[in-house]
Amino acid sequence: MADYLPHTDAEVEAMLEFLGLSGLDELFEVVPAALRLAGGLDLDEGLTEPDVAAEFESFAARNRPVGRDLVCFAGAGAYDHEVPAVVRALATRSEFVTAYTPYQAEVAQGVLQAIFEFQTMVARLAGLPVANASLYDGASSLVEAINLCVGATGRQRVLLSAGVHPHWRAVAQTLASGTGHELEVVPLIDGATQWLRAPRGEPVGVVVVAQPNWLGCLEDLAAARAHADTLGALLVVAADPIAGGVLRAPGELGADVVVGEGQSLGTKLSFGGPYLGLFACSRDQVRRLPGRLVGETVDVAGTRAYVTTLRAREQDIRREKATSNVCTNQTLMAVTAAIQLSWLGPNGLAEVATRCAQGAHYLAEQLAALHSIAPVTSAPYLREFAVETTAPAETVLARLADEGFLGGVAASALAPGDDGSLAPGASGHTIVVAVTERRTRAEIDAFATAFGKAAR
Amino acid sequence: MADYLPHTDAEVEAMLEFLGLSGLDELFEVVPAALRLAGGLDLDEGLTEPDVAAEFESFAARNRPVGRDLVCFAGAGAYDHEVPAVVRALATRSEFVTAYTPYQAEVAQGVLQAIFEFQTMVARLAGLPVANASLYDGASSLVEAINLCVGATGRQRVLLSAGVHPHWRAVAQTLASGTGHELEVVPLIDGATQWLRAPRGEPVGVVVVAQPNWLGCLEDLAAARAHADTLGALLVVAADPIAGGVLRAPGELGADVVVGEGQSLGTKLSFGGPYLGLFACSRDQVRRLPGRLVGETVDVAGTRAYVTTLRAREQDIRREKATSNVCTNQTLMAVTAAIQLSWLGPNGLAEVATRCAQGAHYLAEQLAALHSIAPVTSAPYLREFAVETTAPAETVLARLADEGFLGGVAASALAPGDDGSLAPGASGHTIVVAVTERRTRAEIDAFATAFGKAAR
Amino acid sequence: MSAAPGGRASSAPLLGRDAEPTVFELSVTGRSAAQLRTTGVPATPLERLLDASYLRREPVALPEVSERDLVGHFTRLSHRQFSVDLGMYPLGSCTMKYNPKAFDEIAAMPGIADVHPATPAPLTQGWLAMLCELERELCAVTGMHAATLQPAAGAAGELTGLLLMRAFHAANGETRTKVLIPDSAHGTNPASVTLGGYEVVTIPSDARGLVDVDALRAALDRDVAGIMLTNPNTLGLFEEEIDRIAAAVHEVGGLLYYDGANLNAILGIVRPGDMGFDIVHLNLHKTFATPHGGGGPGAGPVAVSERLAEFLPGPAPCRTADNRFEWRMPPRSIGRVHSWHGNALVLARAHAYLRVHGRDGLERVAERAVLNANWLRVRLHDSYPAAFDRPCMHEVVLTAAELKRTTGVRALDVAKRLLEEGFHAPTVYFPLVVDEALMVEPTETESPQTLAALADALERIARGAREDPDAAHEAPRSTPVRRLDEARAARRLVATEDDRDPVDRG
Amino acid sequence: MSAAPGGRASSAPLLGRDAEPTVFELSVTGRSAAQLRTTGVPATPLERLLDASYLRREPVALPEVSERDLVGHFTRLSHRQFSVDLGMYPLGSCTMKYNPKAFDEIAAMPGIADVHPATPAPLTQGWLAMLCELERELCAVTGMHAATLQPAAGAAGELTGLLLMRAFHAANGETRTKVLIPDSAHGTNPASVTLGGYEVVTIPSDARGLVDVDALRAALDRDVAGIMLTNPNTLGLFEEEIDRIAAAVHEVGGLLYYDGANLNAILGIVRPGDMGFDIVHLNLHKTFATPHGGGGPGAGPVAVSERLAEFLPGPAPCRTADNRFEWRMPPRSIGRVHSWHGNALVLARAHAYLRVHGRDGLERVAERAVLNANWLRVRLHDSYPAAFDRPCMHEVVLTAAELKRTTGVRALDVAKRLLEEGFHAPTVYFPLVVDEALMVEPTETESPQTLAALADALERIARGAREDPDAAHEAPRSTPVRRLDEARAARRLVATEDDRDPVDRG
Ligand SMILES: Cc1ncc(COP(=O)(O)O)c(C=O)c1O
Ligand SMILES: Cc1ncc(COP(=O)(O)O)c(C=O)c1O
């Protein structure tokens, strides 16, 4: 009998006696007898911690992680960036890990100030004045951005570039079944979103574009802004925070809302979660902001202090009229990101982005030189690009795994073949390949060689 | 250029200017030019943390650790006991890890109270009233115990059971070259120390016995006490703290000083260090106690508080007349042990010891049943025992490693063949095998099978 | 906008007692902590790889600090933060139980944590197997048929559940418009209903603190898509008439949604499925002890009865005939609700928790949680009566209304005084239906001694309120900061370093 | 003697501010935290395996706590503890620099940390290779020929060095009896000399704070086995006449021992070997940033010149001709000085530190350490003059003698006031030769901003001493506890829970 319950039998007895009860069962007398579970839950008996750890060792043995097992060339929304020990050591301090949402600010200045710092960093990255305390992931930030813009414009029609991550688009589509927003995907041609001059029909409230897009291509944000202006719509940019270390800030190029996936900022690949939804917007929209916002103030003694603010937007106060239903968010990842970005600093972040670009271009050169394989688009790219393979993408990846590489992401695994982002029919043979600053020249050389063989 | 230095170049310049210096070199003008190192140290240029981590990954790859690589049946002074995540999480809190010796008690109550608790636990384990805040390892505790007893009795002659760990005896011998103590080894016969009625020569000041001894055999402490009494000597017992969970406390059986190796109490195998020297003694000897001692007191407001006490014994006050030269000790391991023992509790510690005994006896049964291999002595044992092999011990261990077992410790690797603990000539073919509570029946069964094959 | 030249000192006063500068204030131009791997990749200038029009002119104005100052700063911030590991956190509705450290290590195993989410399924069989086991366990605990693990928190689970409701009715050719919610419900419920495209209809509580069944009946018609309930409800009371409620809702073709925030109370005692619920979300970060992280991450899987299973989000992990695992899209799936597969590491921790506890352990959890809450309820009866004077489940909502009337000391003051006493405060002013509510959830991992200490402190506070009410208004005084000017925070919004008045900077 | 029935509450007041009960006081009979692996080994009763005469009747009276209370207790204790990670620790002679977190992870790698020390050498080639590299690095840094890595701390290194001295002289057929030590030496030096079987002869410092070379010469004869020095000495001053000292000692056949506690000042600048030293210990826990652990572990390797190498302790890791590694006993080894191979994980961390810094980085370390100390010396000149008014190395010994004379505020009071200001105190009253000594070692990892803040605080304290000397005597007030009754601790020794007066218990 292993558990975390302190009560000794004698204590349970004493407590029951205090309550005038003769058994634990009586605590549940209010539960109608007919509903009571007979025979207990259909679960095994409890194990001890070391037994359970052994079970997890065997789960782990049936996975192929990056690192000592596979050298990672996969990206497509989740990246193998350096996370130093110092960030892990600080972000796992139990005061951050085992606290709840900072409802009692007097004893939550640690988390509150860290979020304030996080907000500042995200806002500066985005080039916008306000950022919130995080949302679930990139997809949920996108959805909230659309909701915000629809609310602000009163228009439910949304133009979504096919360059936005296919999963994010899928989530937006799912949640639109509740809100009733109309999503229209605008296709890519040669890696760039092809905005139609004047789409027919209802007035458009929101235009969404990704920078870089999910195939790694850099988009022309000025064109997206101009398009949104023509339509009288607000512009949402789904921006990668690492690329943001060297690319112009979307806010400066006219984005009204910037969203992003913050996994790259200190969080492990984690099989996809918990990740970190980034969200920044213009000052005008702050009362529509979803989720928590930390503000600076003073206490009764005049000492600087932090507190969640503009709470009247939130569900616990505003209920059905709230800007969003989010309550629990991804605070620990936000704190982690604040630590990681402080570790990187301005030059470190720029250096990481630059090294990604150098690595990706070096790989492209090698693939071209050794195997005449070129990116499928001529668009400029930073950290990743798509290539076509003769063998089916899944076969290629399986062969590469045998050689010790996570060789990229099959486009078809993420997006249906015809989602507008690729040439028709190409997706079953397309792999998106990413190179981060952690990849050495030797790894890239070995990968380029292996890739040529595997791709045939 | 990767390092941990905050100074920017501009700051260095400003500081030099403030000092009226024109270069960093001038800081070292006091160093005679002839002595100054020309051309820098004969070391490589610095690397970055991830580069160095990669080097350590490759060192690690050239070791065979216990756990996923080798199933551990080795002991002989270092044991593979359960250390739960909770102990690691608490003992690695940076307040404990990055503090210095608690010189300023007002800001060191965390470490001081933890040591006070540790002292209480060690004293209760030993069955003696006082324990110190730790020494380097089992061997250093033994040496300090001998020094204490010599000091107390004024007699430099020491009888050392051959059952005491050979390395500890070796250390005592090395350090005796400074103190001039005369160490005599008393041999084992069939695993038990063979005290001579009345050894000739100088009066004996100290008698030392191990419980269990290094071959795993339980000794008769009452006989050792009686022998010490006959000689008018003090009795030192080198006791294993895990075995202490079920064995009678040496202090209750008359030990004047109890020493031990505390590695089993929450510290990993760590290739031999840092470990933990345990030291407890009777109240009479407290002013001869080596090392730090924490005592309880109150602050000016009457609040209970802890402080290092009886400091007049220590080297920083007493200098050449100090009871010991120890300064830095193994505090972090002592704090770890306090946490581990609190996690175990009275019943947990007894359960661990009992399971060791069950595992060791089960292994012995299997070896006997499958291969007619029996322990080399008929003495009772708890966690380990010695067996003889037909093939040389080193060959047997190499074969077992190929099967995934760390199969024990070759007696000859620790002790010269003729140190009095084994039958003459037996040591090259003797392996000391340990079984802890972490070994499953399946592991023991597989090991017993493999051992029989390997031992031939 | 960038760091103050010169920066501030890193060494701030001791043990969390003094204000800590922001990391930007510690920043000095040119300082840095980052160390990257030496790769040997040719360092082609970026301008040769990308057109300058894409590139920013200045790097992002992030802090520039040494690793030493980084460590000092965030370590000191951690000393200004209460947490479960520091003491009792009786925050009602939040189930702040002890988070076992063993699961931190499990969630950090390289074979678990370092897996890319787009790794092909044949290379992630361990993860898929674990998620399938967890789905089965959640179904066993809730009495449901199938579950999605994608929702990242309770609220995301709610919205997923409402979209399932919508898909179900749509598949039946129905367009229903309303969802019923009791007035004691958590704010996420109505907010989710709106996002689900439904209208909220609020059902009052009766004098017992339970759903007013007559009012419920009156609200029911064929426009009602369903009802969202938690049982025990947010007053900590078991809805005894749940079977009647279920029958009534089902009768008009509505569905019952179970908000799992309070599931801790009934683990192994009664299952939502057996009470008649069709859709259940679980808050793994409450019930199954995954740490809250100062506000997240969580995980809010949704389990459903058989007739709703085909609508679940996907792709979902599935076991194949030959005992392998793959991703499959449920036939009439509403689609994806997460960027990847949900908060996977949180799911892993929950599975570990479930394996350690098992059938026997979970039942003990519920029993001890309910025992602790009732002990506090009875013990505190004279100073803080329960809002509804009947046996409670895992939490109890006390009221300070009488205290306020006689002394002027409000629930908020009691909460702040409790901070001084070393406890986190209960949830206050929720549920909204109780005047001066103090919602206390001790959880099962607190000992009788800790309960007694909490009760002592609360009674001391009540006595103190009579003797010196001002002291309570002044509380807390011993915390890292004192009561905040929240109005100023909203009025003069300073949400980033760049919003600060120039005078307040540096 | 065993736990108080009922125990105390776990939840103690907030953030380290209040006294924490001992873990024994939290104990309740029957409670437990331990969880052991399920093994399937037959659970034969112990009495059947061992004669009852060996067995204790009662289990050891250890605490009985839940895992939750265990975590609460030690987390709260950690909040009552200052550390490098929380702030500046200018403790002279202790080199409390930043301890890089990367090395915590390196020291925890399973292939490093989970290796049994008796694993045969063919299975630990990685460890042996690393230790060989470290030995080479330590020799490069000190200008020595070979080193032992066994000593577990500086004092253990000293004793090892003295035994090497003894073995060396013995091999030359000499029995020398005395070892010279300057009056400013650390207490471990004389204590080690005694344990080495030598008599201590104290050499006075001269007016410059350096060894009085004339006094030294006067003390030298053929009974002198050697001299122990640290350079820079404990006053932070470089012994400029080290070559003359070395020549004089060598002339009488003595050896020079270098106490490496202050090596940080001269890394890459000058090597002990080049100064004429024969034996050097290093404090890896000072110079190479391995964390002090609240008082240990450390590591005190001893490096020696070629003529002493054959006496080094063993077995020592050695590279063989075919580039493998094995353990070898030096030909005339003094023997073992550690249970195994030394504090191996501390050694691993130091190797990592040396690899990250390299030749260039180590020199920067020394430069910045000396720059910081001199900046403080000059900046504080008016309020706390240096005991010896000349350029210092990595640390400076200030004196509060004048402050005491004019205000009654002593070095101790200054130290306690500094605690209130959020800094650890400097080392006080050491070295003994300085009146009211405040020995300040900032280390190189503190920024100019932090130095300025320390200086500001010290000046504030000096000013305050003039205005209100009592306040300084009362300090510290904002720390977890205030000044202690140290006399009572010694008079009524309470060294364990069982020593406490019955009234103080529970
Ligand atoms: C009753 C109730 N329902 C729903 C939620 C929302 O859950 P989450 O915060 O995980 O989104 C909460 C959380 O506090 C709750 O207490
Ligand atoms: C000058 C000096 N020598 C020797 C030592 C002793 O070193 P250790 O504490 O590692 O035994 C110290 C430690 O404070 C010291 O400062």
Side-chain angles (χ1 to χ4, degrees), chain A residues 100 327-328, chain C residues 93 153-155 158 186 188-189 234 259 261 283 285-286:
Chain A
Y100 200 75
C327 177
T328 293
Chain C
S93 208
E158 293 171 19
H186 192 261
T188 49
N189 293 186
T234 62
D259 175 341
N283 296 61
H285 46 301
K286 300 179 194 274

Side-chain angles (χ1 to χ4, degrees), chain B residues 100 103 136 325-328, chain D residues 92-94 152-156 158 186 188-189 230 234 259 261-262 281 283 285-286 298-299 430:
Chain B
Y100 200 77
Y103 289 142
Y136 305 133
N325 68 338
V326 69
C327 176
T328 293
Chain D
S93 209
C94 299
E158 293 171 20
H186 192 261
T188 49
N189 294 0
T230 174
T234 62
D259 174 340
N262 297 340
H281 91 248
N283 296 62
H285 46 302
K286 300 179 195 275
F430 177 75

Side-chain angles (χ1 to χ4, degrees), chain C residues 349-429:
Chain C
R349 287 169 183 270
H351 176 58
Y353 180 93
L354 283 158
R355 294 296 292 162
V356 166
H357 285 81
R359 55 185 290 144
D360 45 335
L362 290 183
E363 199 171 328
R364 277 200 305 279
V365 162
E367 287 166 356
R368 303 299 193 276
V370 173
L371 180 65
N372 275 0
N374 277 290
W375 189 93
L376 278 175
R377 177 180 60 81
V378 172
R379 165 70 197 268
L380 289 168
H381 182 269
D382 295 340
S383 38
Y384 305 87
F388 297 90
D389 191 21
R390 53 205 316 271
C392 64
M393 300 298 282
H394 66 300
E395 63 193 356
V396 59
V397 180
L398 308 174
T399 170
E402 175 69 11
L403 190 71
K404 179 178 166 196
R405 211 181 49 72
T406 53
T407 68
V409 169
R410 305 187 304 141
L412 185 74
D413 302 318
V414 174
K416 300 303 181 192
R417 274 284 292 117
L418 212 45
L419 300 179
E420 290 185 335
E421 296 276 345
F423 297 91
H424 198 278
T427 299
V428 286
Y429 303 106

Side-chain angles (χ1 to χ4, degrees), chain C residues 145 168 250 254-255 278 305-311:
Chain C
H145 182 76
F168 172 81
H250 283 154
L255 296 175
D278 304 284
S305 59
E306 193 161 1
R307 57 185 175 149
L308 284 147
E310 59 180 339
F311 302 106

Side-chain angles (χ1 to χ4, degrees), chain D residues 48 75 78 88 91 106 145 157 162 198 209 224 230 283 298 318 320 393-394 415 422 439 457 462 470:
Chain D
R48 282 219 250 138
T75 306
S78 77
M88 191 186 188
L91 200 62
I106 279 175
H145 182 77
L162 288 154
Y198 288 110
V224 171
T230 174
N283 296 62
C318 294
T320 65
M393 300 299 282
H394 66 299
M439 186 188 204
D470 285 349

